[in-house]
Amino acid sequence: MPAPSPQFALLAIGILLLATVVAGSFSSRFGLPALIGFLGLGMLAGVDGPGGIAFDNYLLTQSVGVACLIFILFSGGLDTDWKAVRKVALPALCLATFGVIISAGTIAVSAALIFDMTLLQGALLGAVVASTDAAAVFAILRSTGLDVDGDVPALIEFESGTNDPMAIFLVGAVLLLMAAPAAPLTGMAVDFGQQMTMGGLIGVAAGWMMPELLKRSAYPDGGTAFVIPIAGALVAYGLAEAAGGNGFLAAYVAGLVAGNRVYAARKMVSTFQDGIAWLAQVVMFLTLGLLVTPTNLGDVILPGVAITFILMLVARPLSVFLCLAPFRRYGWREKLFVSWAGLRGAVPIVLATFPIVAGVPGAFAIFNVVFFVVVLSSLIQGPTVKPVAEWLGIARMNGGEAPEPKPRVPQGF
């Protein structure tokens, strides 16, 4: 089959991007995360759909996913008000670290007991699906006019921005144990500390430098105001990775620091980066949708359904209730909502390409299970976030008064 001309390829890309945005908006009207529309269109354009595009380059998909995640995390940091999240930083970081470990461990044991998986394969699956995607939740909250009382939204937001590095580290650690079973665990702990420390420090430095460059630029409101933030996000990630740190953490922290400093082009930069992050989500989900072959998902329906319900009803609630236990200001209602709002998004699907690229046995089955889990979780949890918040009595509609909460359970319950 001859390769399409550059003009036709560019036209097709433009049409796909426009159609993806429409599909994402359409899915949001039904209370579904936009990723459902993005993924669905990618699958329709793929080899099993009417588009018939044959795409199976997992390495390219991984690279596209990593690049897109850099800008998504950086933009998320830019839009995070530190004053709002400062008081939830400690519980959010507990969820982003220990919560991810608890979720991954629960899935690992469940997968090893229920299915024909080794404990390491179960641990790999658990690590891949352990991180959450609050971007999908907040898209639903905005589209339905739902707000939640207290600092619960800030908790979910800050957790989602900081839990990806832990999931990425766990995936790397399990892959290392698969390749070298005798690898010392103490060395991994030291490596984790180095990754978090270097990632955080480089992120702070990059986030501080970006506004300084914009302040000193001869054209603070011109083209450089758009170029410098893009460069800052890439430098933060690349420098952190080169120094042995976690690049994703560096990108998020860089955005967080830069977004909470004062400089002339701040509002314009934030708006531009929101557009970049939106484009990154479209490209990433569309690519992931192209990669999936729907006819291969039939064999993973049973394990996919089982893992999804274990994740939603056991692993996530267990991690939330244990991690938030020391923080008495969160009652059981808030904990239940945080548990239910833990939707899975792009990161697990991107992480699922790592075992394939590494040549791990059974990696394709894990990828299909992860894809099924993400889609099923979004279809079930996405439309029910609003009803659950209302049922728990913590919803505030359209900026109005919160509904009368249900009677509180006594402290000793």
Side-chain angles (χ1 to χ4, degrees):
M1 180 178 178
S5 65
Q7 296 90 336
F8 178 80
L10 291 174
L11 175 62
I13 291 173
I15 292 174
L16 274 177
L17 289 177
L18 287 174
T20 306
V21 173
V22 173
S25 301
F26 184 76
S27 63
S28 297
R29 291 185 180 182
F30 293 91
L32 298 172
L35 71 89
I36 294 296
F38 300 159
L39 288 172
L41 186 62
M43 294 168 68
L44 289 174
V47 65
D48 278 354
I53 299 175
F55 180 76
D56 60 356
N57 193 326
Y58 288 87
L59 181 58
L60 176 60
T61 302
Q62 178 181 309
S63 301
V64 169
V66 168
C68 291
L69 285 174
I70 293 171
F71 293 108
I72 292 171
L73 289 172
F74 180 75
S75 178
L78 277 178
D79 292 336
T80 299
D81 184 359
W82 175 246
K83 292 180 181 179
V85 303
R86 180 171 53 188
K87 60 182 178 180
V88 302
L90 187 56
L93 289 175
C94 287
L95 283 173
T97 51
F98 299 110
V100 171
I101 294 173
I102 293 170
S103 291
T106 304
I107 294 298
V109 174
S110 301
L113 291 176
I114 298 174
F115 306 111
D116 187 20
M117 281 188 176
T118 66
L119 187 58
L120 276 180
Q121 287 176 324
L124 182 59
L125 175 60
V128 166
V129 300
S131 63
T132 61
D133 180 16
V137 176
F138 284 100
I140 293 173
L141 298 184
R142 287 192 294 269
S143 64
T144 58
L146 172 68
D147 193 10
V148 179
D149 293 336
D151 57 17
V152 172
L155 174 68
I156 300 173
E157 178 181 357
F158 196 64
E159 178 208 359
S160 69
T162 53
N163 66 7
D164 294 336
M166 172 57 84
I168 293 167
F169 170 78
L170 289 179
V171 170
V174 176
L175 290 176
L176 177 61
L177 285 175
M178 285 182 163
L185 295 179
T186 53
M188 294 182 186
V190 172
D191 182 52
F192 174 74
Q194 176 183 332
Q195 285 192 33
M196 297 299 108
T197 302
M198 292 302 298
L201 291 176
I202 291 174
V204 169
W208 182 87
M209 183 63 67
M210 191 195 85
E212 292 299 312
L213 291 175
L214 287 170
K215 289 178 183 179
R216 289 163 172 73
S217 172
Y219 307 101
D221 294 324
T224 52
F226 300 134
V227 175
I228 290 175
I230 294 175
L234 295 175
V235 167
Y237 175 86
L239 191 59
E241 290 290 327
N246 190 290
F248 293 106
L249 179 62
Y252 178 77
V253 172
L256 180 64
V257 173
N260 285 273
R261 297 196 64 197
V262 178
Y263 52 98
R266 177 180 172 183
K267 184 176 181 180
M268 183 173 61
V269 166
S270 179
T271 302
F272 175 73
Q273 287 299 321
D274 282 343
I276 293 292
W278 178 262
L279 177 62
Q281 290 188 62
V282 170
V283 171
M284 180 167 59
F285 288 126
L286 181 61
T287 305
L288 292 170
L290 284 171
L291 189 65
V292 173
T293 305
T295 53
N296 293 338
L297 298 179
D299 295 336
V300 300
I301 291 178
L302 180 59
V305 170
I307 294 298
T308 301
F309 280 95
I310 292 172
L311 185 63
M312 291 191 306
L313 303 178
V314 181
R316 173 67 176 176
L318 181 64
S319 65
V320 169
F321 274 77
L322 288 178
C323 290
L324 296 185
F327 306 98
R328 301 298 296 267
R329 67 180 183 271
Y330 299 112
W332 65 272
R333 300 175 188 279
E334 289 79 10
K335 292 174 184 175
L336 277 180
F337 181 77
V338 173
S339 300
W340 192 250
L343 275 74
R344 268 54 190 175
V347 175
I349 305 177
V350 173
L351 289 180
T353 64
F354 282 59
I356 295 176
V357 174
V360 172
F364 287 97
I366 290 177
F367 178 87
N368 289 330
V369 169
V370 170
F371 184 87
F372 192 89
V373 168
V374 169
V375 172
L376 190 58
S377 169
S378 299
L379 290 174
I380 295 175
Q381 293 173 277
T384 56
V385 167
K386 175 182 173 182
V388 167
E390 294 173 342
W391 175 71
L392 291 172
I394 60 173
R396 185 183 298 277
M397 299 302 300
N398 296 319
E401 294 296 324
E404 186 70 23
K406 298 180 185 296
R408 291 281 179 178
V409 176
Q411 287 291 331
F413 183 77

